[in-house]
Amino acid sequence: NGGGAVRGRGVVTDGQGNGKAASGGAYRGPNGGTAARAGGTARNADGSLQHQSGAQWSGANSSGSTQGGFVRNADGTVSGGRQTHADGAQGGQYDADTQYANGSLDRNVDATGRNGNSYESTVTGTKGEGVTRTATCYDANGNTMSCKP
């Protein structure tokens, strides 16, 4: 049928509490769509951890990519983020950026539909205090309009 997939993974340790793992895969559909992903994680003897991963796709209806990762320090603090971008075949677009560090979250999303209407949102939060979300929608001329839930 013209499609296929391949995957792989590996793990290595040093016997001293350090280790690394990685995996990846790729796919091709019978109609020409493609996708791939890869990720890796390293754990250190002191308890710290690093992870990175990403993916991309391309098909008849959309294409895009996402990448990100996080770090856990030896003291247990965590930080990281992820960025995602997608393009619709008929003109829509989506961008998201999420960042987390020291108990604080920041997420921004911008999306535009094929008709030119757009959506922007921000989510911020602090551990133990909750999150706040703001959203604004615009028509194709840049005028604010009601956002549908």
Side-chain angles (χ1 to χ4, degrees):
N1 67 6
V6 61
R7 294 183 297 178
R9 64 182 178 197
V11 176
V12 62
T13 61
D14 66 1
Q16 305 297 313
N18 302 299
K20 294 181 180 180
S23 65
Y27 169 82
R28 181 173 183 82
N31 296 320
T34 61
R37 64 156 303 276
T41 302
R43 185 189 185 285
N44 304 305
D46 64 3
S48 61
L49 183 78
Q50 302 85 33
H51 173 79
Q52 291 287 325
S53 64
Q56 68 80 33
W57 69 93
S58 179
N61 296 318
S62 69
S63 63
S65 63
T66 183
Q67 60 276 331
F70 72 90
V71 173
R72 183 185 70 200
N73 296 310
D75 64 5
T77 58
V78 177
S79 62
R82 178 159 294 276
Q83 297 80 39
T84 301
H85 173 81
D87 290 306
Q90 298 179 11
Q93 183 172 311
Y94 172 88
D95 286 287
D97 179 35
T98 304
Q99 300 296 320
Y100 178 84
N102 302 318
S104 295
L105 167 74
D106 286 299
R107 177 171 171 80
N108 297 294
V109 173
D110 294 303
T112 304
R114 66 180 179 181
N115 63 359
N117 291 351
S118 62
Y119 166 86
E120 297 176 358
S121 76
T122 301
V123 176
T124 58
T126 303
K127 186 176 181 179
E129 297 180 17
V131 298
T132 302
R133 177 181 172 270
T134 60
T136 308
C137 293
Y138 302 92
D139 65 21
N141 296 317
N143 302 307
T144 58
M145 58 184 272
S146 174
C147 292
K148 294 181 180 179

